[in-house]
Amino acid sequence: MNHRVAWSSRRWTLAAPLILVLGCGGGDGLQRMPIDGSVTFDGQPLEDGRIQFFPDPGNPEPIMTGAPIVSGSYSISQAEGLVPGSYIVRISSASGEEVAVTGEGDAQMPGLGPIHPIELIPSKYNTESTLTAEVTSDGSNTFDYSLEKD
């Protein structure tokens, strides 16, 4: 028997149990919960935006996720969901216009360059968010948010 073939067979024999344990789904073994809800802005469904859930500092799992907001609704599948715990919620929606950041006093979303879309949602709902969510393992994880211009 060729040694190269024998070594290749042994590698597959050793790798097979690992593949079975990890599975093909890419699961991380965490107890994730599906999340959904609605977002209104000044009493109307937010047509286009993004919602993000960041773990509260006391949350044991550093899991974060987000989803697009379309016609006032968002949904996050269980596979992409959150583990039970407290989260800080940030909601943003950009206008079609862009603005150049000229100094330190200008509001700028993290990760954006010197020219970026104008944010329609007040900072108290995104960069300085006061919104929260408490994800539970036994119950509805539907979070609805009513946002108002200042």
Side-chain angles (χ1 to χ4, degrees):
M1 179 195 269
N2 185 327
H3 290 293
R4 183 174 289 161
V5 172
W7 174 244
S8 179
S9 296
R10 278 189 225 133
R11 280 191 291 184
W12 278 110
T13 303
L14 295 172
L18 182 60
I19 292 170
L20 290 174
V21 169
L22 295 177
C24 297
D28 55 16
L30 297 175
Q31 181 189 9
R32 293 178 179 263
M33 300 291 121
I35 311 293
D36 65 20
S38 64
V39 179
T40 59
F41 186 55
D42 283 341
Q44 299 298 314
L46 183 63
E47 285 302 313
D48 182 42
R50 180 123 185 109
I51 188 165
Q52 296 176 298
F53 295 83
F54 293 90
D56 202 327
N59 202 339
E61 294 291 342
I63 302 297
M64 62 175 275
T65 193
I69 299 168
V70 179
S71 300
S73 296
Y74 68 92
S75 180
I76 301 170
S77 70
Q78 184 168 3
E80 299 295 319
L82 296 168
V83 297
S86 299
Y87 293 85
I88 297 167
V89 179
R90 294 184 179 152
I91 299 173
S92 60
S93 180
S95 70
E97 301 174 46
E98 292 184 333
V99 64
V101 177
T102 57
E104 292 181 28
D106 292 333
Q108 183 175 350
M109 292 294 287
L112 297 177
I115 297 177
H116 58 86
I118 296 173
E119 177 61 55
L120 297 174
I121 307 297
S123 62
K124 68 181 177 181
Y125 302 123
N126 47 60
T127 57
E128 300 170 13
S129 184
T130 58
L131 302 173
T132 61
E134 186 69 33
V135 176
T136 64
S137 61
D138 59 347
S140 172
N141 287 303
T142 298
F143 304 104
D144 299 326
Y145 298 96
S146 297
L147 314 180
E148 300 290 330
K149 285 183 191 171
D150 296 326

